[in-house]
Amino acid sequence: MAVTRRLPAPCEEELGRRYEARLNPEDLPLGAEALQEALRSSDAVLCTVTDRLDGAVLAAEPLRARILANFGVGFNHIDLDAARARGLRVTNTPDVLTEDTADLAVTLMLMVARRAGEGERHVRARAWSGWRPTHMLGTRISGKTLGLVGFGRIARAVARRAHHGFGMRVLFHDPYPPPPEVAAELGAELRPSLEALLAEADVVSLHCPATPETRHLIDAARLRTFQPHALLVNSARGDVVDEPALAEALRAGRLAGAGLDVYEREPRVTEELLGMENVVLLPHLGSATRESRVAMGRRAIANLDAFFAGATLPDAVA
Ligand code: DGY
């Protein structure tokens, strides 16, 4: 089995005990050739978001691998059609990272609203001259309106925190809404049109998967529908936002700030955003707690175990 990145020690130990696992102690991301080599030489590949498993890579010959066990819930880096065409099964690791990723989305929302990144830079630069009534005023979050784009597991966990914790009014848009009682329990109201949600929200938080349909869902035109005081939070996938259009909208004052954990061309970040004080930038930390990452590894291993036992895959996506 090929494991493409370093995993938390308990997961590597478990893999080592039970499988002939080829680990990646240097932890360097694998390029196309190294991924093809893994597909040619292993029965299974335990991969991550940094592995670009597109049609060209999956065309590896002779193909030995039969399963891609992804360490992560998002799988837009894997061409599922190409995987199916090659007879590869694909699994992911849902549920175990939901609460931590929701916490991160709320962290971003609060950091942008309360200018936490800017404040931290100010103190570290030894520029702080002391308390004063007008210093670094931010925006109150309690009682404001949160618009959730997508209403899956992570969005619902954010809704719970926002509604029950911060007394926020919660709106959501999702082409596949849950039964009304699920939304009611979270105090969340459906907006059938995305534009209506964007126009009403004080904070917009993205929670949709990256698919061809959601690519640049937040583009220059939709950014014009935000209220000028609104904040955008993206802890989903970078492709959902047209990053240069976001930078331009922030520069033009069409929205007041953004909190980003994911980027269109990771690990690259649009240069202009790097210089903006009203933008909080985190390095794809959504699920980055020891608890989630160990649980993700165990979930990937559970999928591999099921595959090699000929059992139903707990988290099959292809
Ligand atoms: C996820 O689980 O999708 C994280 O973003 C890492 O891939």
Side-chain angles (χ1 to χ4, degrees):
M1 154 160 353
V3 181
T4 66
R5 300 303 300 261
R6 280 203 73 174
L7 301 183
C11 305
E12 291 196 342
E13 281 157 21
E14 197 170 327
L15 280 166
R17 272 196 304 275
R18 313 237 307 278
Y19 291 97
E20 203 181 296
R22 190 144 32 90
L23 305 176
N24 179 357
E26 287 81 34
D27 203 18
L28 293 171
L30 304 191
E33 248 173 59
L35 286 171
Q36 288 203 317
E37 172 49 26
L39 290 162
R40 280 194 287 261
S41 57
S42 322
D43 299 308
V45 178
L46 195 158
C47 54
T48 76
V49 67
T50 59
D51 303 314
R52 211 181 145 69
L53 289 151
D54 57 16
V57 167
L58 294 175
E61 285 291 359
L63 180 66
R64 175 168 165 188
R66 288 176 294 142
I67 177 167
L68 305 174
N70 186 53
F71 180 98
V73 67
F75 45 82
N76 59 309
H77 53 289
I78 304 173
D79 183 333
L80 291 190
D81 289 335
R84 279 189 204 100
R86 304 257 25 221
L88 277 158
R89 302 301 310 274
V90 182
T91 59
N92 70 344
T93 60
D95 301 323
V96 291
L97 45 67
T98 300
E99 301 301 324
D100 291 332
T101 307
D103 286 348
L104 200 279
V106 173
T107 301
L108 282 172
M109 172 172 76
L110 292 172
M111 284 184 77
V112 185
R114 300 302 302 273
R115 302 174 63 175
E118 196 181 340
E120 227 241 354
R121 284 189 290 279
H122 188 68
V123 175
R124 284 184 189 275
R126 298 183 167 78
W128 186 35
S129 59
W131 188 90
R132 53 199 190 275
T134 56
H135 188 214
M136 230 175 244
L137 305 188
T139 301
R140 177 183 297 161
I141 279 299
S142 295
K144 296 288 173 64
T145 298
L146 172 66
L148 299 169
V149 178
F151 202 55
R153 288 175 290 254
I154 297 169
R156 292 178 208 182
V158 172
R160 186 170 307 112
R161 287 155 173 72
H163 178 69
H164 295 295
F166 296 99
M168 295 182 87
R169 180 164 169 245
V170 179
L171 313 176
F172 71 96
H173 171 78
D174 194 308
Y176 309 100
E181 57 275 15
V182 172
E185 192 253 318
L186 299 168
E189 302 165 38
L190 173 67
R191 284 291 173 275
S193 113
L194 175 60
E195 280 69 21
L197 175 132
L198 299 179
E200 224 178 315
D202 299 310
V203 182
V204 173
S205 188
L206 305 178
H207 298 283
C208 50
T211 64
E213 292 74 40
T214 62
R215 186 177 145 70
H216 287 185
L217 189 71
I218 304 300
D219 60 4
R222 292 216 170 87
L223 283 161
R224 286 180 204 282
T225 65
F226 281 61
Q227 305 189 71
H229 69 264
L231 309 173
L232 174 70
V233 170
N234 189 6
S235 58
R237 278 293 182 266
D239 308 41
V240 180
V241 177
D242 178 342
E243 224 169 86
L246 171 64
E248 161 57 21
L250 286 161
R251 185 171 0 105
R254 284 196 286 278
L255 76 162
L260 307 177
D261 188 43
V262 287
Y263 307 88
E264 270 197 272
R265 285 167 290 272
E266 292 183 15
R268 278 185 290 146
V269 177
T270 295
E271 190 59 34
E272 209 182 340
L273 294 173
L274 292 168
M276 290 180 166
E277 287 290 13
N278 54 344
V279 178
V280 173
L281 303 166
L282 295 182
H284 202 146
L285 293 180
S287 62
T289 65
R290 281 181 293 278
E291 292 87 344
S292 273
R293 292 285 165 86
V294 169
M296 289 160 72
R298 296 210 162 114
R299 190 102 177 198
I301 295 170
N303 279 289
L304 291 164
D305 291 347
F307 179 79
F308 289 111
T312 305
L313 300 181
D315 306 306
V317 295

